[in-house]
Amino acid sequence: MAASGTVGGVKWPSVRAIGLHGGMDNQELRTEADTILAELVGDPGGSARLREDQWQAVAALVRERRRALVVQRTGWGKSAVYFVATALLRRRGAGPTVIISPLLALMRNQVESAARAGIRARTINSANPEEWDTIHKEVEHGETDVLLVSPERLNSVDFREQVLPRLAATTGLLVVDEAHCISDWGHDFRPDYRRLRAMLAELAPGVPVLATTATANARVTADVAEQLGTGAGEALVLRGPLERESLRLGVVQLPDAAHRLAWLAEHLDELPGSGIVYALTVAAAEEATAFLRQRGFKVAPYTGRTENADRLQAETDLQENRVKALVATSALGMGFDKPDLGFVVHLGSPSSPIAYYQQVGRAGRGVEHADVLLLPGKEDEAIWRYFADTAFPPEALVRQTLAALADAGRPLSVPALEAAVDLRRTRLETMLKVLDVDGAVKRVKGGWAATGQPWTYDSERYAWVARQRASEQQAMRDYVSTSGCRMEFLRRQLDDEGAAPCGRCDNCAGPWADAAVSAEMLTGATRELDRPGVEVEPRRMWPTGMPALGVDLKGRIPAGEQCSTGRALGRLSDIGWGNRLRPLLAENAPDVQVPDDVLNAAVAVLADWARSPGGWAPGVADASARPVGVVAVPSLTRPQLVGSLARGIATVGRLPFLGSLAHTGPDGAHAARRSNSAQRLRALSGAFTVPEELAGALAAASGPVLLVDDYTDSGWTLAVAARLLRRAGADQVLPLVLASAG
């Protein structure tokens, strides 16, 4: 604890006993606050002082014990407010501060900065489960001043029932970071945040609450302030101008992904200091990282697939300028505290100008000038659509879910619910969290249960939110094409009063980023993006709950009925092959013969596959043997494409085309692709059969067969087809598809 060192080992007192209102001289408190700030920034005895707007927030929390919402630009110093307030309150006997934050990287930064002021901070999040028990004990014994908690912890039954009530009863200050996530009017709504309403209602009288965000327009601000004021009077709203005077915004329009990648490699060294390169997908981030490393740049990936230890190393390397850039997805988000970050480049447009401003706001906090560039792509909107399957489900599906839970008479897990409700897992989980907040269901040990409480489907609100998402996408298009000031445009999107031309962006001061790309660099980028081939992992387990759907499949798929790891030309989320395959596989695309370049790429993938360690099927006897034939998955929507691909591969590879599986049942009965695993497998069960001629060919052949299809999303078509082929005599089934969804 700060200089006094008086808090360690002290049990949490009742907040009601503290009595902070009376006898506190305002100037003495201000002086003490400034001293703590100096320690916090690593300059004890220095001249650091809270600005007046920061002091106003601290005074509201410490002197008045109010609930406050602070909407201020990134870099304004929101963390200084709650750490200074924490030290002041703890010195006066208050319980620990609880900070709810989704930003794991920022959590780590804040733990380190808090330590400089003697503030003992700990975190509970998905990255440190092995420490949770120890941290809980430290909190119970008063050995922690600040506890940072990820919002996902609020979804844990044990945490909500055992830990949260104690925190609510004893905390001295509650901080809600990234508070715009509370509001489903906002661009980044997270249902877990809505659970904070219960904690707010359970706080002891007089416990101050601080909510902070840098990205909230007027409607989100009003919604969050209303929720903060629940049962505690009107919340104080402190909103400042959101302009970042250090940022120079620009847009560089380039013809395709290869040009964008080449431009990045050509101009990265010209950008000031170190920074962040954002990509819309994991695949794009990995492609960009690989190419930049080939060109000698020190860069590190930071995506949802990056292991936690590698994330920590990447953060440290950027902090210490050992890398030129992190190549990141939204997994990094805003959660990175590096005041001297010199640039942010986006390879592709985010779907919301508010989300965009949130990400670029990491740059230029502690330097006079930082460059922000957007390189939009033709594929951006296709990627927006791909990730847009998050809207609240139609009322019929919600009612079906509630009925399934009520009829079960016991808790149901999400996999078990998938057998009853045709929603993909992520969307189903999000819906359940919203219903939990609304009181219609509750999370219990073993899954989810209906509460029986009445629930109303707010169709008007959900429709408005959907329209808001569409409006945000249009605004992002407008940002790219505007001839007006880009900073003013973004500030107006945030309802920032006083928004005016910045005089710095490419529209105010003229283009400052050269769009030129050398032929040599473009050739290298094109070659990188043209390299086909990604692995397709097979299904190993049947989905939960299939017997309840009349399908007698459960547990592990027998080894003798599985398919092997397969190959795809690319992922639909790639900026290389993904861009070329999306038009071919679009829902309304015409069925055509496989294009020559696509067929040639498939053949190249097969050749590379054969040369890979272990050959066609590592770990399998005689895995290096060539396939003995080609089998096609029958396609209802693209029979020409799949058929010509399978026959073309057979011809070029001098392999016999053994034939296709046959459809059974009505056309289209198994065509739905966006179903969850249980519903998808149910539709596929019994949908195919092995014709006699194909069965005979399989029985006569000895070796693996290639199974060809156009696309794999869930993996269940390949799993079902492989099971049939292996039961009919195929030694191994090697799937080859044009595209995978992952």
Side-chain angles (χ1 to χ4, degrees), residues 17 59 65 68 128 179 211 243 278 305 320 325 382 416 499 509 519 542 560 576 587-588 668:
R65 284 189 276 170
N128 67 342
E243 180 178 11
Y278 279 106
R305 290 184 191 156
E320 299 181 5
W542 298 118
E587 188 174 334
N588 57 353

Side-chain angles (χ1 to χ4, degrees), residues 106-173:
L106 197 57
M107 282 186 183
R108 291 188 278 269
N109 297 150
Q110 291 184 341
V111 168
E112 295 170 3
S113 63
R116 288 196 294 266
I119 299 171
R120 296 160 301 182
R122 298 285 270 154
T123 72
I124 294 178
N125 58 66
S126 59
N128 67 342
E130 70 284 352
E131 300 178 18
W132 290 352
D133 288 343
T134 299
I135 294 171
H136 290 164
K137 291 176 182 177
E138 291 176 358
V139 171
E140 286 182 3
H141 293 122
E143 298 169 358
T144 296
D145 301 315
V146 173
L147 179 65
L148 294 108
V149 180
S150 64
E152 289 72 24
R153 285 291 84 217
L154 304 178
N155 194 36
S156 161
V157 176
D158 287 341
F159 187 86
R160 285 161 57 189
E161 293 182 353
Q162 299 177 26
V163 180
L164 198 58
R166 293 200 298 272
L167 290 179
T170 56
T171 186
L173 170 66

Side-chain angles (χ1 to χ4, degrees), residues 71 214-218 221 239 242 353-354 357-358 489-497:
V71 183
T215 49
N217 59 20
T221 298
R239 184 181 176 105
L242 301 181
I354 300 175
Y357 194 53
Q358 184 185 54
F489 183 98
L490 293 175
R491 291 179 67 189
R492 290 191 186 281
Q493 289 295 311
L494 285 157
D495 298 319
D496 191 13
E497 293 183 6

Side-chain angles (χ1 to χ4, degrees), residues 482-637:
T482 186
S483 59
C485 174
R486 299 195 191 278
M487 178 61 74
E488 181 182 15
F489 183 98
L490 293 175
R491 291 179 67 189
R492 290 191 186 281
Q493 289 295 311
L494 285 157
D495 298 319
D496 191 13
E497 293 183 6
C502 68
R504 302 179 304 277
C505 71
D506 56 355
N507 286 338
C508 286
W512 49 271
D514 186 357
V517 173
S518 69
E520 184 272 336
M521 194 68 75
L522 180 59
T523 298
T526 301
R527 186 181 301 116
E528 173 66 22
L529 295 180
D530 277 351
R531 185 179 295 115
V534 294
E535 288 191 350
V536 175
E537 287 296 322
R539 287 289 189 173
R540 305 295 191 196
M541 300 286 293
W542 298 118
T544 300
M546 294 311 300
L549 292 175
V551 180
D552 189 21
L553 296 172
K554 59 183 178 180
R556 185 172 181 82
I557 302 174
E561 297 181 1
Q562 293 180 13
C563 62
S564 299
T565 299
R567 294 293 189 277
L569 265 67
R571 305 179 184 93
L572 287 185
S573 55
D574 290 346
I575 57 175
W577 272 100
N579 282 353
R580 298 163 73 173
L581 293 171
R582 275 191 296 271
L584 188 65
L585 301 177
E587 188 174 334
N588 57 353
D591 183 27
V592 297
Q593 295 284 315
V594 63
D596 288 343
D597 64 328
V598 174
L599 176 60
N600 292 337
V603 172
V605 169
L606 289 172
D608 184 66
W609 191 356
R611 292 191 295 268
S612 63
W616 294 102
V620 176
D622 200 21
S624 61
R626 295 180 79 241
V628 296
V630 179
V631 177
V633 175
S635 174
L636 294 172
T637 55

Side-chain angles (χ1 to χ4, degrees), residues 73-92:
R73 64 182 180 271
T74 304
W76 174 85
K78 295 182 285 291
S79 60
V81 168
Y82 52 72
F83 279 135
V84 169
T86 292
L88 291 171
L89 290 166
R90 289 289 274 164
R91 287 179 176 182
R92 288 155 179 82

Side-chain angles (χ1 to χ4, degrees), residues 217-454:
N217 59 20
R219 181 150 201 170
V220 172
T221 298
D223 188 23
V224 175
E226 180 182 0
Q227 295 188 52
L228 283 180
T230 302
E234 184 177 346
L236 172 67
V237 177
L238 301 173
R239 184 181 176 105
L242 301 181
E243 180 178 11
R244 297 295 308 281
E245 295 178 356
S246 61
L247 298 185
R248 180 170 64 159
L249 304 176
V251 173
V252 180
Q253 300 266 24
L254 294 164
D256 54 37
H259 277 81
R260 295 200 308 280
L261 203 55
W263 184 95
L264 185 60
E266 198 104 87
H267 297 281
L268 187 59
D269 267 339
E270 300 168 9
L271 296 172
S274 56
I276 300 170
V277 176
Y278 279 106
L280 297 189
T281 68
V282 172
E286 291 174 346
E287 288 172 319
T289 300
F291 181 65
L292 291 173
R293 283 177 168 175
Q294 288 173 15
R295 293 288 161 169
F297 289 101
K298 292 183 178 179
V299 295
Y302 196 112
T303 74
R305 290 184 191 156
T306 307
E307 294 291 337
N308 185 57
D310 294 330
R311 287 190 182 195
L312 288 170
Q313 186 62 55
E315 292 166 17
T316 301
D317 288 344
L318 185 62
Q319 289 280 10
E320 299 181 5
N321 297 313
R322 291 197 293 262
V323 294
K324 179 65 177 179
L326 297 188
V327 185
T329 63
S330 58
L332 182 64
M334 285 186 66
F336 197 82
D337 185 17
K338 181 176 169 60
D340 63 342
L341 201 72
F343 65 88
V344 171
V345 176
H346 276 76
L347 289 177
S349 298
S351 60
S352 160
I354 300 175
Y356 179 63
Y357 194 53
Q358 184 185 54
Q359 292 178 343
V360 303
R362 300 317 301 172
R365 293 178 49 198
V367 294
E368 291 187 6
H369 303 289
D371 287 343
V372 171
L373 284 168
L374 173 62
L375 280 57
K378 295 177 181 178
E379 74 277 8
D380 294 348
E381 297 199 24
I383 294 172
W384 297 349
R385 288 191 296 272
Y386 180 78
F387 289 114
D389 192 15
T390 57
F392 199 71
E395 184 172 4
L397 285 173
V398 183
R399 298 291 180 194
Q400 187 178 353
T401 305
L402 293 173
L405 290 171
D407 294 343
R410 58 180 176 82
L412 293 180
S413 65
V414 170
L417 269 173
E418 286 182 319
V421 183
D422 194 2
L423 284 173
R424 286 208 158 197
R425 182 164 298 184
T426 300
R427 198 174 179 196
L428 179 58
E429 288 175 335
T430 301
M431 181 189 73
L432 288 167
K433 290 178 180 180
V434 172
L435 292 175
D436 189 0
V437 170
D438 291 344
V441 304
K442 60 181 178 180
R443 185 166 186 140
V444 297
K445 290 185 177 180
W448 295 87
T451 63
Q453 295 182 18

